[in-house]
Amino acid sequence: MVGNLETFQGKLADSGFPTLVNLLAGPDFRARMTTRDLGPLRLVSLGTPASAVVGTARDVPDGENLAVKVMTRGRTRIEQGHGDADLGPADWVLLDPTRAVRFESTASTHVTILLPRRELRIRPAQIDRLIGVRIDGRQGPGALVSALARDSARSMSGFRPGDALRSAAAVVELIAVALEARLGAERSAPDERLRDRITGYIEARLADADLSPAGIAAAHHISIRRLHKLFEDQPLTVAALIRRRRLERCRAELIASGHTITAVAARWGFVDPTHFSKLFKATYGYPARALIDANRALTTRTPGPGPEQDGDHQGKW
């Protein structure tokens, strides 16, 4: 237990952390800190009170570290680079100790892995995109990093030099896999934008009877295979999306108008009325004719103005 803020900051600096200013620290400040080394890696376990911390940028000419901060208890919000990460237990974030940082946290415990930047073997531009970005520590490769950091902080001892180097390399490799997976998730954003454009294209052309996956792919200069891949994790395939939106348009029009089923179906791209009727019933569980009949019955039952509706009402409702 460290009961003095100045001593605590000195220990952090000795471990490779930048100078940090805790705006909430008072005379009753208490914290816990344990440091262990594994080859070129340093694991620092911290237990800190509620904090609001700022750190300024600093110049480190060579051998600078990156930091993987893993939450084990409490919550913290960290701002660094372009990132703004809200972390809960098990979540983690990649930080650059040479950059300005700001974070606010509840009373919490966390493990930080300090690793030489050169060990990670990820291009600087990619690292820049990852700094300050939350990594989910509950699933996928991010969960493995989170569990490893928490377990290693408790049990890391008794390594021979060669074993320590190989183990450190495995830890770094696992961190790299998780970070590259996060980059892959970011790269999916252009796919989402393209899918949104295609969905809008479909919506605007539902009345075109020739609307088809082949035509959509050609209009967006992609292959049909690429088009289907864009929608493989969506609730509906491209063809099913076209059918469903056309059926919804037909249903809305049949409810609101007195047009015939054939006319409405043709307006929204269904050239075969029989096929449309079968498809409608299979989708909604009742025939399209039921909407026509219900609309007609409602019109028949609607009375015109009568004597009892003008002026004072003298009869019974």
Side-chain angles (χ1 to χ4, degrees):
M1 180 69 71
V2 181
N4 178 281
L5 178 61
E6 186 175 347
T7 301
F8 180 69
Q9 289 177 326
K11 287 179 174 292
L12 286 177
D14 290 343
S15 295
F17 287 84
T19 300
L20 301 173
V21 178
N22 191 336
L23 304 178
L24 297 184
D28 58 346
F29 177 85
R30 297 287 186 278
R32 294 190 306 275
M33 179 174 173
T34 305
T35 302
R36 296 181 176 88
D37 291 333
L38 181 67
L41 309 183
R42 172 161 291 179
L43 279 76
V44 182
S45 301
L46 294 172
T48 53
S51 303
V53 174
V54 293
T56 56
R58 61 183 184 135
D59 222 359
V60 179
D62 54 32
E64 66 266 37
N65 289 328
L66 292 171
V68 171
K69 180 184 179 71
V70 181
M71 297 295 297
T72 59
R73 181 176 61 84
R75 300 198 67 86
T76 188
R77 180 174 181 176
I78 297 180
E79 298 176 29
Q80 188 177 72
H82 304 296
D84 185 353
D86 189 0
L87 309 178
D91 293 336
W92 56 279
V93 64
L94 181 70
L95 300 174
D96 185 344
T98 68
R99 301 190 188 191
V101 66
R102 176 186 299 272
F103 64 85
E104 298 178 358
S105 68
T106 64
S108 59
T109 58
H110 33 100
V111 177
T112 298
I113 303 175
L114 294 168
L115 66 156
R117 183 188 298 264
R118 64 180 180 274
E119 297 287 336
L120 198 54
R121 300 191 304 278
I122 294 179
R123 293 196 300 272
Q126 293 178 317
I127 289 177
D128 187 63
R129 288 165 52 194
L130 291 163
I131 294 295
V133 175
R134 171 184 172 269
I135 308 294
D136 189 345
R138 295 166 297 177
Q139 59 183 358
L144 295 178
V145 173
S146 180
L148 181 63
R150 288 175 287 164
D151 290 343
S152 297
R154 293 191 296 264
S155 60
M156 191 176 65
S157 61
F159 283 86
R160 292 178 298 182
D163 294 338
L165 289 173
R166 287 194 295 271
S167 298
V171 173
V172 172
E173 182 64 23
L174 187 55
I175 292 172
V177 168
L179 292 174
E180 288 168 358
R182 186 65 177 81
L183 284 171
E186 286 188 351
R187 282 195 292 269
S188 70
D191 287 352
E192 293 176 9
R193 290 194 291 270
L194 177 57
R195 188 167 57 237
D196 287 344
R197 288 200 302 272
I198 290 172
T199 301
Y201 179 92
I202 290 171
E203 194 70 25
R205 292 164 176 80
L206 288 173
D208 181 358
D210 294 327
L211 183 67
S212 68
I216 294 168
H220 290 83
H221 310 290
I222 60 176
S223 67
I224 296 180
R225 181 179 179 182
R226 171 91 166 100
L227 175 66
H228 290 316
K229 190 168 183 60
L230 284 171
F231 284 81
E232 67 181 0
D233 62 345
Q234 300 300 297
L236 298 174
T237 64
V238 177
L241 176 63
I242 294 171
R243 286 196 303 271
R244 175 56 63 90
R245 293 298 295 129
R246 281 174 168 169
L247 285 169
E248 289 172 353
R249 291 292 187 91
C250 289
R251 182 174 180 273
E253 187 167 337
L254 288 170
I255 291 173
S257 75
H259 299 151
T260 66
I261 293 174
T262 300
V264 171
R267 189 193 316 281
W268 294 109
F270 292 103
V271 295
D272 184 345
T274 302
H275 172 69
F276 166 76
S277 295
K278 291 179 178 178
L279 189 60
F280 190 98
K281 185 173 183 180
T283 301
Y284 293 110
Y286 54 84
R289 169 62 57 186
L291 296 179
I292 299 288
D293 295 341
N295 195 29
R296 186 173 299 155
L298 180 63
T299 303
T300 302
R301 288 199 306 269
T302 303
E308 71 280 2
Q309 293 175 301
D310 296 325
D312 296 332
H313 299 292
Q314 298 179 0
K316 294 182 178 180
W317 292 95

